[in-house]
Amino acid sequence: MAEQLEDWKSGLLTRLDRLKPDKYLVAAEGEQLLGFLEGHHEFSNWGLMARYAELPTEALGSYVPFIYVVPERRGNGVGAALLREFAREAAARSSAAIVLQPDEADNGRSSRIEFFKQNGFTWEEPSVEYSAHEPWLMSAVPIAITQLSDA
């Protein structure tokens, strides 16, 4: 499994070199890997987003730098299940929010953004100090994603 995950990641645009995920979720069917999520529950860079700018750095959130589902299984709930499990953990840790930055590669970007919106994520307006940028981070409240999964 580890070899397959590394093989998948080697061909994809990632920002993991500057992030330190410590949580790995894997979706599999028998021996076949369907997808994975990497993340952590120690996000504290609230100053990037206007809505959360007043939160102290001690208030921790969760961050998903990487989620991947094999193309032939996309649209079948694999990615949503990975997000829901991560959201359950985030809610259990009382994370203020789950934050992610959609991959900026043009190939499929609009479908990735739609996927995140369907799973409870919304665009975050940058804080004043980052106002030169269009919104580039999305967030969701962990409990909202958890409730979505139970519907």
Side-chain angles (χ1 to χ4, degrees):
M1 279 186 146
E3 287 178 19
Q4 179 66 54
L5 292 175
E6 286 306 313
D7 186 47
W8 283 351
K9 287 174 23 182
S10 68
L12 301 170
L13 175 66
T14 70
R15 295 171 301 281
L16 295 178
D17 57 327
R18 62 185 170 103
L19 304 167
K20 297 182 173 49
D22 63 5
K23 182 65 188 176
Y24 303 90
L25 300 173
V26 176
E29 191 171 75
E31 294 292 315
Q32 181 186 8
L33 290 177
L34 305 178
F36 69 100
L37 179 149
E38 293 183 354
H40 65 79
H41 298 291
E42 297 182 4
F43 180 84
S44 61
N45 202 355
W46 303 114
L48 296 173
M49 299 170 286
R51 178 167 41 154
Y52 297 107
E54 300 300 317
L55 282 179
T57 56
E58 297 81 34
L60 294 180
S62 300
Y63 190 79
V64 177
F66 201 80
I67 183 170
Y68 178 78
V69 175
V70 294
E72 60 272 14
R73 294 304 291 263
R74 292 178 186 162
N76 294 312
V78 174
L82 289 167
L83 280 177
R84 284 192 305 268
E85 181 57 31
F86 189 76
R88 282 188 189 98
E89 292 179 7
R93 293 171 173 259
S94 300
S95 287
I98 300 172
V99 178
L100 57 81
Q101 179 181 359
D103 189 332
E104 295 172 2
D106 289 336
N107 184 16
R109 180 168 165 75
S110 60
S111 62
R112 286 190 298 278
I113 291 169
E114 186 59 32
F115 164 76
F116 291 126
K117 286 181 178 180
Q118 289 173 356
N119 283 279
F121 287 82
T122 58
W123 285 111
E124 290 297 331
E125 289 297 323
S127 64
V128 173
E129 61 188 283
Y130 294 98
S131 62
H133 297 285
E134 293 294 320
W136 54 285
L137 292 172
M138 296 179 85
S139 77
V141 178
I143 194 68
I145 296 176
T146 303
Q147 289 172 344
L148 180 66
S149 70
D150 297 333

